[in-house]
Amino acid sequence: MSRILILYFVFIIWSFAQDRPRNNNTDNSPVITTDQQRVPSNNSSQRQGVNSNYNSTSNNAPKAKIEQYKFYKVEKDTIILDTSLTIQSEYKYNLYRKDLFGYQPFANEGQPLNILDFSLNDSSLLPQFGFKAKHHNYLQIKDITYHQVATPLTELYYKTVMEQGQSIDAFFTLNTNERTNYSIAYKGLRSLGVYLNNLSSHGNFRFSTNYQTKNKRYQLYAHIAAQDLTNQENGGIQLIDNFTSGNQNFTDRSRIEVWLRDARSLLQGNRYFLSHSFKLRPNKKETNMVISHEGFHENKFYEFTQNNLFTNVPESGPIIRFGEAFVQGNLRDLSEFNQTYQKVQLALTNKTYGKLFFYTDFLQNNYFYNRVLLQNQVLIPNRIQDNIQTIGARYQFNRKKFLFDFGFQNGITNADVTKIDANVKYVPNEKYALLFEGTFQKTLADVNFRLFQSNFVHYNWFNQFNNPGVLKTKFTFENPWLGVEGNYQILTDYLYFSDTASPESMQQLIKPFQFTGSIHWFSIKAFKEFSYKKWAWNNTILYQATDASTSILNVPQLTARSTMYYSGTLFKKAMNFQSGIHVHYFSEYFANEYNPVIGDFFVQNTQPIGNFPMVDLFFNARVRQTRIFFKAEHLNALFTKQPNYFTTPTQPYRDFIIRFGLVWNFFQ
């Protein structure tokens, strides 16, 4: 990895050394937008300082057009390179580079995110590794971008962290010719945190390339990703009163006793991905045939280590937080996972009748440990192997103001997996859009639900679960006055983790369970921005409800975010700025608790959290291609005498902190 980093920074230094264009115009940044992207002209969050042209290398050189800076993902959809200053820039300025509405972060950067909006849970048709709480900063295939740029492009992201460290994301891409692009990027995080044993140290390296022949008959997309996410795991705070009492002795959070002082987790993975296609009839404009292949190989492992198993609890003495263990110390659990995927597809395209796809794919999972265990007369094997082959078809048809998309996929091996989905979109004009989505899916459980081995006696299982299923419906309606999104899901044979220990034991003894009935979940979300001159008020509110008879799927009924801000210019319009206030809120509910042994959350119904506001002040500015961000996070914590802000029942939300950083784009 060190050699890769050296090579990467050589690229960065080389890009800095190139002559950048000199132009007194501060609004010369290219912005790439999709056809679907619409920014109302009367919206104060409209892009500030956008020009359609950009000088490439000198004042006399031809100007590069906006459309010459194109970014794609694996679905081949065009996404945005946006150097303007908008409220979305503020929302996405974080480690994950996405809007975190519906998530609640831990006290330290790079720790798990508790999901408030149930619709944000991923549901893959094919079984995955599990350990989902550790994957929020793990870049998946859908997160990797491919590029086509007129001139070399560099982007640098920097942000301060909680204590002793920094968060960076550096990216460089160039086209060696019009048809060949390379990119290299590295995201790094190191944050000590303010609580004991709470360090985060992450590294995400990725390299991508894409190529097409001169006649566009053959196209190729490929990437390599190498990622390692290390976290110290403190298991939460022991005595909640130390935090909530407001005792001045504990304003220094490192004085609060935690459950684990020397535990650590590591998620590491390497992935090699290739997608390419070939047109069989390149000269036919009306009707064409395209054959394509997509495949990847990925290996991962999750490791949990703990040297001293005993925790001293006041008035109770030493206990082992996760129950009896096979070893007395230096515990090390290791789960390994290899995944190979291949897909072959034939596409028939016609300008009048749409697109018809036929495909088959094959997935091989290999999940293993280094021993076989006999426990309570039950044999727990050391390996699970999934060999799943499916066939499928998809039809897409675009007719005037309507877009239809229907798909079917079914397993042809012993694995009972099925997916049927339908999407209908109606766009009568630029101001209105209506989208309906429906999906039925039945899949195998993730492998860590079916098999798990640990040096903790209670954390060993081998299960034969029914295949969980879900029926989803979703509608989205957008217009100039209000955006509305509604979701309804019926979940069958729902899988979850739960604690089997009594509260008096002060232990966490986690097991997977399956609810054999049906769970109904409903949500409706509304979003709207009001603007008046240079003032704007951006609002998002989410309401959720589940079956009252079940306490398995717990969500807050109300989640809201409101942002009031002012936009203007300074220094003779050389600087654009936005300044305002955020208020985040979610109602009281029984939030899931986090367990580091399984790297996931589990259901609890004893300690509610929520019903507190989180107030942030921010000031953001843009000078040429540089955006600068200042934020006073959780300002109201300064005036809270008895803190009651939590992410889980034992993991507090972060205290007041001032953070700043920048995003800097270079166009050579």
Side-chain angles (χ1 to χ4, degrees):
M1 177 64 75
S2 61
R3 293 181 181 178
I4 293 174
L5 294 181
I6 292 172
L7 177 63
Y8 169 69
F9 285 109
V10 169
F11 268 101
I12 292 297
I13 293 171
W14 173 75
S15 68
F16 288 167
Q18 299 185 72
D19 290 335
R20 293 190 295 274
R22 297 178 181 177
N23 192 331
N24 293 328
N25 183 2
T26 63
D27 302 330
N28 57 0
S29 302
V31 178
I32 311 305
T33 61
T34 59
D35 293 337
Q36 292 77 20
Q37 180 75 14
R38 300 185 305 278
V39 183
S41 58
N42 61 349
N43 191 332
S44 65
S45 69
Q46 186 175 359
R47 295 184 178 85
Q48 300 180 19
V50 176
N51 195 311
S52 60
N53 295 325
Y54 179 78
N55 287 333
S56 59
T57 56
S58 71
N59 290 334
N60 297 324
K63 293 184 177 181
K65 304 271 187 185
I66 290 176
E67 56 269 19
Q68 292 178 273
Y69 291 82
K70 296 181 181 179
F71 280 43
Y72 305 97
K73 290 193 176 181
V74 67
E75 297 86 359
K76 311 300 188 295
D77 56 328
T78 306
I79 60 174
I80 297 173
L81 168 65
D82 192 351
T83 64
S84 62
L85 188 66
T86 68
I87 194 60
Q88 290 301 319
S89 306
E90 161 65 21
Y91 291 154
K92 295 180 180 180
Y93 182 66
N94 53 63
L95 173 68
Y96 312 97
R97 311 300 298 273
K98 66 180 182 180
D99 190 343
L100 292 181
F101 179 80
Y103 295 94
Q104 179 71 359
F106 278 34
N108 194 18
E109 193 84 289
Q111 297 286 344
L113 301 173
N114 208 349
I115 297 178
L116 306 176
D117 181 357
F118 182 74
S119 68
L120 297 174
N121 285 280
D122 290 332
S123 56
S124 172
L125 176 65
L126 302 174
Q128 302 300 312
F129 187 29
F131 305 95
K132 290 185 176 179
K134 311 304 298 184
H135 278 76
H136 289 291
N137 194 33
Y138 188 92
L139 298 176
Q140 307 290 352
I141 291 174
K142 64 183 179 180
D143 301 316
I144 304 298
T145 55
Y146 308 91
H147 320 91
Q148 183 180 7
V149 293
T151 62
L153 169 66
T154 302
E155 180 176 276
L156 298 178
Y157 163 96
Y158 170 81
K159 191 173 186 178
T160 59
V161 292
M162 283 55 199
E163 190 168 328
Q164 295 186 22
Q166 60 280 319
S167 172
I168 64 168
D169 191 359
F171 162 80
F172 173 76
T173 184
L174 82 163
N175 272 73
T176 55
N177 56 56
E178 187 179 357
R179 297 173 283 106
T180 306
N181 178 274
Y182 299 96
S183 75
I184 188 168
Y186 181 78
K187 179 164 66 171
L189 167 71
R190 183 175 178 84
S191 179
L192 181 64
V194 298
Y195 291 87
L196 292 173
N197 198 45
N198 203 214
L199 171 72
S200 296
S201 179
H202 295 185
N204 309 75
F205 169 83
R206 61 266 194 205
F207 170 84
S208 72
T209 183
N210 52 278
Y211 165 80
Q212 64 181 1
T213 56
K214 195 171 184 179
N215 60 0
K216 299 184 180 181
R217 187 174 188 180
Y218 176 77
Q219 294 182 329
L220 177 146
Y221 299 84
H223 77 254
I224 298 172
Q227 307 179 71
D228 58 274
L229 284 62
T230 302
N231 291 100
Q232 291 180 339
E233 304 282 1
N234 63 25
I237 59 180
Q238 280 190 30
L239 300 176
I240 302 301
D241 287 344
N242 289 348
F243 179 77
T244 57
S245 65
N247 189 326
Q248 295 299 311
N249 293 327
F250 298 110
T251 53
D252 180 356
R253 300 308 189 191
S254 63
R255 293 184 176 182
I256 298 180
E257 284 294 335
V258 296
W259 284 107
L260 310 174
R261 280 178 167 264
D262 58 5
R264 183 186 69 99
S265 70
L266 169 63
L267 173 65
Q268 184 169 317
N270 297 294
R271 181 174 61 245
Y272 310 90
F273 174 86
L274 171 67
S275 175
H276 52 146
S277 61
F278 183 78
K279 292 182 179 180
L280 300 179
R281 306 177 66 188
N283 298 323
K284 302 295 182 180
K285 296 182 179 180
E286 290 295 327
T287 303
N288 213 325
M289 299 176 65
V290 181
I291 186 168
S292 61
H293 165 257
E294 179 181 305
F296 69 86
H297 176 76
E298 186 167 27
N299 56 75
K300 295 181 182 179
F301 71 80
Y302 179 76
E303 178 185 69
F304 176 80
T305 59
Q306 185 180 352
N307 296 329
N308 183 10
L309 301 184
F310 291 92
T311 300
N312 290 316
V313 180
E315 301 180 1
S316 298
I319 68 167
I320 302 179
R321 178 64 165 166
F322 305 118
E324 183 183 355
F326 294 120
V327 296
Q328 298 303 310
N330 298 320
L331 178 144
R332 178 175 181 262
D333 291 344
L334 181 65
S335 304
E336 299 185 69
F337 180 72
N338 296 326
Q339 188 174 59
T340 301
Y341 177 81
Q342 304 290 339
K343 177 182 179 180
V344 178
Q345 177 176 272
L346 176 65
L348 307 175
T349 64
N350 182 276
K351 287 189 175 181
T352 303
Y353 300 105
K355 301 177 182 180
L356 184 61
F357 304 87
F358 299 97
Y359 62 89
T360 181
D361 63 1
F362 177 78
L363 176 74
Q364 183 180 58
N365 286 340
N366 188 21
Y367 173 67
F368 56 96
Y369 295 89
N370 61 2
R371 66 183 180 185
V372 175
L373 183 64
L374 183 64
Q375 187 178 29
N376 298 327
Q377 305 303 315
V378 176
L379 181 67
I380 300 177
N382 70 325
R383 186 181 301 270
I384 284 181
Q385 289 184 312
D386 292 324
N387 294 287
I388 304 172
Q389 185 173 3
T390 75
I391 58 173
R394 178 164 295 278
Y395 176 64
Q396 296 175 345
F397 179 66
N398 193 347
R399 185 68 173 177
K400 294 183 178 179
K401 301 174 182 180
F402 287 90
L403 174 64
F404 302 90
D405 187 353
F406 304 98
F408 171 78
Q409 188 175 0
N410 191 62
I412 58 176
T413 54
N414 293 331
D416 182 17
V417 295
T418 302
K419 183 177 182 180
I420 304 172
D421 64 282
N423 304 313
V424 180
K425 187 174 184 179
Y426 175 61
V427 184
N429 52 52
E430 293 183 354
K431 295 183 178 181
Y432 296 87
L434 178 64
L435 174 65
F436 174 81
E437 303 173 60
T439 303
F440 170 76
Q441 181 172 294
K442 197 170 187 180
T443 183
L444 288 176
D446 289 343
V447 291
N448 68 330
F449 274 95
R450 291 180 277 159
L451 172 65
F452 193 79
Q453 286 194 19
S454 170
N455 283 291
F456 291 110
V457 176
H458 190 80
Y459 287 74
N460 292 276
W461 56 75
F462 178 60
N463 300 306
Q464 300 288 342
F465 286 123
N466 297 330
N467 288 6
V470 59
L471 176 63
K472 302 180 182 180
T473 58
K474 176 182 178 180
F475 78 88
T476 305
F477 177 61
E478 296 183 26
N479 62 70
W481 302 280
L482 183 67
V484 180
E485 177 185 300
N487 287 275
Y488 178 68
Q489 295 187 21
I490 302 175
L491 300 101
T492 57
D493 295 315
Y494 180 69
L495 290 167
Y496 63 98
F497 291 105
S498 186
D499 189 1
T500 61
S502 62
E504 295 78 16
S505 68
M506 292 182 289
Q507 293 181 325
Q508 286 184 4
L509 305 179
I510 309 302
K511 287 283 189 183
F513 293 90
Q514 185 165 54
F515 182 71
T516 56
S518 298
I519 299 176
H520 298 254
W521 168 81
F522 164 80
S523 77
I524 187 164
K525 180 167 66 174
F527 40 93
K528 171 63 179 175
E529 178 169 290
F530 304 92
S531 60
Y532 176 72
K533 295 184 178 181
K534 295 184 178 182
W535 288 91
W537 184 25
N538 188 282
N539 298 275
T540 304
I541 186 168
L542 170 69
Y543 174 81
Q544 300 176 92
T546 61
D547 295 76
S549 59
T550 61
S551 56
I552 296 170
L553 199 162
N554 296 321
V555 292
Q557 280 194 339
L558 184 65
T559 305
R561 177 181 64 194
S562 184
T563 303
M564 179 75 74
Y565 65 99
Y566 177 86
S567 302
T569 60
L570 293 171
F571 308 116
K572 297 181 180 180
K573 298 185 178 181
M575 173 188 286
N576 298 317
F577 76 90
Q578 289 182 340
S579 183
I581 182 171
H582 296 302
V583 180
H584 307 256
Y585 172 85
F586 62 90
S587 57
E588 187 175 81
Y589 81 112
F590 291 106
N592 290 346
E593 183 60 276
Y594 170 67
N595 180 277
V597 179
I598 62 171
D600 213 333
F601 290 90
F602 65 91
V603 174
Q604 65 86 29
N605 290 284
T606 58
Q607 180 62 45
I609 67 167
N611 195 28
F612 63 87
M614 296 159 282
V615 180
D616 304 334
L617 293 179
F618 67 91
F619 177 88
N620 303 329
R622 176 181 179 271
V623 181
R624 294 178 63 87
Q625 290 82 243
T626 305
R627 287 169 290 170
I628 305 167
F629 299 84
F630 289 88
K631 181 182 285 189
E633 294 187 5
H634 203 184
L635 180 66
N636 54 312
L638 292 173
F639 314 106
T640 305
K641 296 182 179 180
Q642 293 183 320
N644 66 336
Y645 40 88
F646 288 85
T647 297
T648 78
T650 63
Q651 296 280 355
Y653 179 63
R654 59 192 56 157
D655 296 310
F656 168 75
I657 184 174
I658 295 177
R659 303 178 68 186
F660 62 89
L662 57 83
V663 177
W664 198 349
N665 292 96
F666 301 88
F667 300 88
Q668 284 79 29

